[in-house]
Amino acid sequence: MNLNEKGVTLIELLAALALVSIIAVLAMTTFNIGVKYNVTETKKTTMQQESNLIVSTLMNVHRTEKCYEIENTTTTAITMKIYDDEQCTTTPSRQIEFNQNQFTYELILETGTPEKINPQETNYSLTLTIKDNNSSLENSYQTQIYRLNTTY
């Protein structure tokens, strides 16, 4: 028997393949978990950005306009109608709509808020909830909209 033979035995080859397979499975599992986490975090970030956009736009309208109306008639859209007079009796001068098919919106104003809002009268509390239609993710945003009344 010659002990100087070079080469790989079948057992060594099977052991190497088993080790490479285990490492490949671990790497693929880690990659898949990372991808799923990234998708979830991206959706959360998008929902937060949408909430911030809606609330900041609403606050801007409340602080600068004479009268406006908020409609949340469908679950997939929020519409703000802006009027040029303080009683909201004319035709709306412009309209702002938030609508993304991937989200469901729910805007709840505090009890007693009139349908047509005159921002000079009082401040209002609101809760905005955005839900992702393709998952169980939900973002709720509660704030108060107000107008600073300064008199000199």
Side-chain angles (χ1 to χ4, degrees), residues 93-108:
S93 60
R94 63 187 173 111
Q95 182 171 305
I96 302 170
E97 183 172 301
F98 298 97
N99 182 5
Q100 289 213 15
N101 293 332
Q102 69 188 43
F103 298 137
T104 300
Y105 301 100
E106 182 180 16
L107 181 66
I108 301 172

Side-chain angles (χ1 to χ4, degrees), residues 54-65 68 80 82 94 96 145-147:
I54 291 171
V55 170
S56 65
T57 302
L58 181 57
M59 285 183 158
N60 187 37
V61 166
H62 189 80
R63 290 177 181 164
T64 59
E65 301 298 334
Y68 65 94
M80 286 188 276
I82 300 166
R94 63 187 173 111
I96 302 170
I145 53 175
Y146 57 90
R147 175 180 270 189

Side-chain angles (χ1 to χ4, degrees), residues 72-92:
N72 194 185
T73 53
T74 66
T75 58
T76 58
I78 294 175
T79 305
M80 286 188 276
K81 295 179 180 178
I82 300 166
Y83 298 87
D84 286 334
D85 65 315
E86 293 178 4
Q87 288 76 33
C88 297
T89 55
T90 61
T91 305

Side-chain angles (χ1 to χ4, degrees), residues 90-151:
T90 61
T91 305
S93 60
R94 63 187 173 111
Q95 182 171 305
I96 302 170
E97 183 172 301
F98 298 97
N99 182 5
Q100 289 213 15
N101 293 332
Q102 69 188 43
F103 298 137
T104 300
Y105 301 100
E106 182 180 16
L107 181 66
I108 301 172
L109 290 164
E110 70 180 309
T111 307
T113 303
E115 187 176 309
K116 295 181 179 177
I117 299 170
N118 182 344
Q120 295 174 346
E121 291 179 0
T122 187
N123 304 328
Y124 300 101
S125 294
L126 68 91
T127 303
L128 173 65
T129 304
I130 297 180
K131 298 177 185 175
D132 184 53
N133 293 334
N134 301 321
S135 67
S136 62
L137 294 176
E138 180 177 305
N139 184 25
S140 189
Y141 196 102
Q142 188 172 14
T143 190
Q144 184 167 2
I145 53 175
Y146 57 90
R147 175 180 270 189
L148 296 175
N149 293 323
T150 57
T151 54

